[in-house]
Amino acid sequence: MKHLEKRAEVIFAIRNFFQNQGYLEVETPIRIPTPIPEEHINPFESEGWYLQSSPEICMKRLAARGYGKIFQICKCFRKDERGDRHLTELTMVEWYKKDYSYMELMNECQEMIQHVASSLKSNQIKYGSYNITLDKSWQQIKVKDAFDKYGSISMQEAEAKGSFDEVMAFEIEPNLGLDVPTFIYDYPASMASLAKLKSDGSKSNLSNQSQSYQNKGVAERFELYIAGIELANGFSELTDPVEQEERLKQEIKKIEAREILAKREIKNSDKAIKIPEKFIKELSNMPKTAGIALGVDRLIMLFSNAKTIDEVVAFTPEEL
């Protein structure tokens, strides 16, 4: 009961922060015809459509239509994700701001969490054996430097060997955000298919389609960690529809290669992985924008000092 009470307080504080900042709260459909293809996310099918893994498609379309400051607290669904920190049905807060960069969005994310902490009459998170201070300067470290400091190999080596995620999960993440929250930023382009590239901006020359965007340096993407737990993922939005479509095609190739490797049958043509065409069509109207998704359940875990995510939801999937 105490965790559900804390949950209500946290969600109230999140909403209060955005309302005070002049954001418009929006609701978009959770059931969509075509999700954004992402290599590591498996969506749930729903009568030929899909349950959203994130509200980003519809929220970005709203941003492209002139909605400059929007947020949403909603349910998202991710297949095959279940563990102490994972739910197949999760609660997320996602927000977008016009004329913002990913660096500015880091600061606003910090302000939002500090606002939640203040509403809970606290300036720190006590999680397990960690006491994480929230009212001091938060750490910002480049991905490359994090690999050099904590990893057994460099970022470039990990990317070349296909072990980036493994090194991140087992060697780097456990060291992040143990004293103060930590932002890790400037991800390899191959790890940020929806983010603006830092090397040459969101407008890039794709005349040589054989050259993958993955070889174009780093992207303006960040993640937030507290007590070694990944909490948020944000970036400066890619607004070039031609480049975005090309990147998503490459994501589809990676998904299909994964399915073949797992010896799963590739879906037939009427259910094949597709590009969300209406999203691509509207993307050219999106101004400079930064967007972020933050896991509400995990934030509540941290503020509740709960060992597992199961403790901060009313029902787990197994109880239904």
Side-chain angles (χ1 to χ4, degrees):
M1 183 177 293
K2 67 178 181 178
H3 291 331
L4 291 186
E5 290 173 352
K6 182 67 65 69
R7 182 183 186 92
E9 293 173 1
V10 169
I11 292 175
F12 179 87
I14 292 172
R15 180 171 279 112
N16 177 257
F17 172 82
F18 287 110
Q19 291 173 338
N20 290 343
Q21 296 297 318
Y23 277 78
L24 174 68
E25 182 171 9
V26 297
E27 288 184 307
T28 58
I30 64 171
R31 188 170 167 270
I32 56 177
T34 309
I36 289 179
E38 296 183 80
E39 181 183 7
H40 299 296
I41 295 179
N42 296 324
F44 280 103
E45 288 190 37
S46 174
E47 296 182 336
W49 284 26
Y50 296 87
L51 300 179
Q52 66 177 8
S53 58
S54 159
E56 63 186 325
I57 281 184
C58 291
M59 293 190 75
K60 288 178 182 180
R61 290 178 67 183
L62 288 176
R65 296 178 185 185
Y67 292 85
K69 295 174 69 174
I70 53 176
F71 83 100
Q72 181 170 187
I73 301 171
C74 63
K75 290 293 187 180
C76 299
F77 304 84
R78 299 187 178 186
K79 196 173 183 179
D80 303 324
E81 292 197 14
R82 185 67 177 103
D84 289 346
R85 300 175 183 176
H86 295 84
L87 289 167
T88 51
E89 178 182 335
L90 59 139
T91 301
M92 184 181 291
V93 57
E94 188 156 327
W95 71 96
Y96 293 83
K97 189 169 184 178
K98 178 183 175 181
D99 294 328
Y100 243 37
S101 69
Y102 73 134
M103 300 299 290
E104 292 170 301
L105 197 59
M106 284 189 217
N107 294 330
E108 187 169 67
C109 180
Q110 175 178 336
E111 292 170 6
M112 189 274 283
I113 294 176
Q114 288 174 329
H115 175 83
V116 173
S118 177
S119 299
L120 299 175
K121 298 179 172 54
S122 175
N123 63 358
Q124 64 178 356
I125 288 175
K126 295 182 179 180
Y127 191 76
S129 60
Y130 303 115
N131 290 317
I132 297 101
T133 303
L134 299 177
D135 57 358
K136 293 183 179 179
S137 296
W138 292 19
Q139 183 183 28
Q140 295 182 359
I141 181 172
K142 291 183 178 180
V143 175
K144 175 183 179 298
D145 295 335
F147 268 80
D148 292 341
K149 185 174 183 178
Y150 302 116
S152 57
I153 57 177
S154 71
M155 182 184 80
Q156 292 82 358
E157 289 176 301
E159 189 179 9
K161 294 179 178 179
S163 58
F164 182 95
D165 291 331
E166 181 180 355
V167 176
M168 274 292 298
F170 295 104
E171 299 180 21
I172 297 174
E173 290 181 359
N175 294 291
L176 301 178
L178 306 186
D179 299 312
V180 294
T182 297
F183 290 104
I184 182 170
Y185 68 101
D186 285 359
Y187 275 73
S190 62
M191 305 294 168
S193 64
L194 297 162
K196 174 182 176 181
L197 299 182
K198 192 169 186 178
S199 55
D200 56 5
S202 61
K203 301 284 185 182
S204 64
N205 182 7
L206 285 175
S207 59
N208 180 6
Q209 296 290 335
S210 63
Q211 180 179 356
S212 169
Y213 77 93
Q214 300 175 31
N215 299 320
K216 294 184 178 179
V218 298
E220 296 188 358
R221 174 192 171 193
F222 69 85
E223 289 192 342
L224 171 63
Y225 286 84
I226 299 179
I229 296 175
E230 177 195 339
L231 195 60
N233 177 36
F235 39 84
S236 302
E237 298 292 338
L238 173 62
T239 59
D240 184 330
V242 177
E243 181 171 354
Q244 185 63 88
E245 184 171 9
E246 175 62 22
R247 292 197 198 179
L248 294 183
K249 286 179 180 178
Q250 294 188 34
E251 284 295 300
I252 290 173
K253 289 180 181 178
K254 290 192 287 186
I255 293 170
E256 291 175 342
R258 179 196 67 196
E259 296 294 300
I260 292 172
L261 185 63
K263 297 183 179 180
R264 288 191 287 259
E265 183 179 353
I266 299 297
K267 295 178 181 179
N268 55 38
S269 58
D270 64 321
K271 290 187 177 181
I273 306 167
K274 299 177 181 178
I275 300 289
E277 294 179 359
K278 291 182 180 179
F279 161 68
I280 295 295
K281 185 177 181 180
E282 293 194 59
L283 195 59
S284 61
N285 295 322
M286 184 189 289
K288 174 185 175 183
T289 302
I292 179 173
L294 183 145
V296 173
D297 306 301
R298 290 187 179 182
L299 184 62
I300 296 165
M301 271 183 68
L302 291 165
F303 277 116
S304 303
N305 195 16
K307 292 182 179 180
T308 70
I309 204 165
D310 296 28
E311 300 175 49
V312 299
V313 296
F315 292 93
T316 63
E318 295 79 13
E319 292 178 293
L320 296 175

